Amino acid sequence: MGLAVLLLALVFRWIAVPLKAAVGFLLSLGGSLGVLVAVLQWGWFSSVLGTQASPTVISFLPILLIGILFGLAMDYEVFLVSRMREEYARGKSPVAAMVDGFGHGSKVVTAAAVIMVSVFGSFVFADMQITKGMGLALAVGVLLDAFVVRMCLVPAAMSVLQHAAWWLPRFLHRALPHVDVEGEKLTRQQARPAEAELDLLASRS
């Protein structure tokens, strides 16, 4: 998680958004682990799901759950917040940028989350206890992360933080290298000759 926060701060040059993404992942992980314990250890809904209560959970289940859910959670975060950042960079207010960015990015996140919940949820009908628990925990984790954390808490936090959401301390701004992932420098370099040519044509006319 610390490495993910560092990479997000390095690429996008924010500090509040990566921290918020990490906290949101912890909430989703806590919910999915809670469901895993309630179903596999406490025996909740055992008659419906066909599971049997066990005093322990196999150790690699939480490991797989953390790895897969973390990757999906960060993808959903980047889908939503990167579009908000684009709108903010174009001069819109923080709230307007959040609304417009959420309007575009939420469609992608919704489609991706519905697909993953359907895939993971299908494993609940398997015969193996481990497969049932893993599929259920992942389905609940993706459902919570996409529709509660990313769709509700992220827009709310962006509205509260306002301009502070895009703030980076000066010492980090100097220390972190500039990584041009989206090719903004190349876009500006290509735009300069075109603008010069337009200015030349305008002066001739």
Side-chain angles (χ1 to χ4, degrees):
M1 285 185 60
L3 180 60
V5 170
L6 179 62
L7 289 175
L8 288 174
L10 174 65
V11 173
F12 297 106
R13 309 195 71 78
W14 315 320
I15 190 62
V17 172
L19 293 175
K20 174 178 57 61
V23 172
F25 166 70
L26 288 178
L27 295 176
S28 303
L29 179 62
S32 59
L33 288 176
V35 170
L36 188 66
V37 171
V39 173
L40 295 188
Q41 288 189 256
W42 298 348
W44 290 12
F45 307 106
S46 58
S47 59
V48 178
L49 300 175
T51 57
Q52 297 177 356
S54 174
T56 60
V57 174
I58 296 179
S59 60
F60 70 82
L61 281 184
I63 297 173
L64 291 176
L65 177 63
I66 291 172
I68 297 173
L69 185 60
F70 181 78
L72 294 173
M74 294 302 105
D75 285 342
Y76 299 156
E77 180 76 16
V78 171
F79 284 149
L80 284 175
V81 180
S82 60
R83 188 56 187 261
M84 297 178 188
R85 173 63 178 175
E86 292 177 4
E87 299 296 333
Y88 180 76
R90 293 173 183 171
K92 294 184 178 180
S93 65
V95 175
M98 182 275 295
V99 172
D100 293 340
F102 181 81
H104 291 86
S106 60
K107 300 175 183 178
V108 178
V109 173
T110 300
V114 168
I115 292 172
M116 297 311 298
V117 169
S118 301
V119 171
F120 292 140
S122 64
F123 289 107
V124 177
F125 301 101
D127 296 329
M128 296 181 61
Q129 176 99 343
I130 299 174
T131 307
K132 285 178 177 288
M134 191 65 191
L136 180 64
L138 283 171
V140 171
V142 172
L143 191 68
L144 290 175
D145 190 84
F147 295 103
V148 177
V149 174
R150 310 302 163 189
M151 296 287 193
C152 297
L153 299 183
V154 167
M158 300 298 288
S159 298
V160 172
L161 292 174
Q162 296 282 321
H163 294 283
W166 315 113
W167 173 74
L168 184 70
R170 291 184 178 179
F171 71 95
L172 286 179
H173 185 78
R174 293 191 298 266
L176 294 177
H178 290 269
V179 181
D180 189 13
V181 177
E182 299 180 352
E184 295 180 358
K185 293 181 180 179
L186 180 60
T187 303
R188 289 195 295 266
Q189 290 175 0
Q190 293 176 345
R192 288 172 185 172
E195 292 176 357
E197 185 177 353
L198 289 175
D199 292 339
L200 180 60
L201 293 175
S203 63
R204 290 179 179 177
S205 62

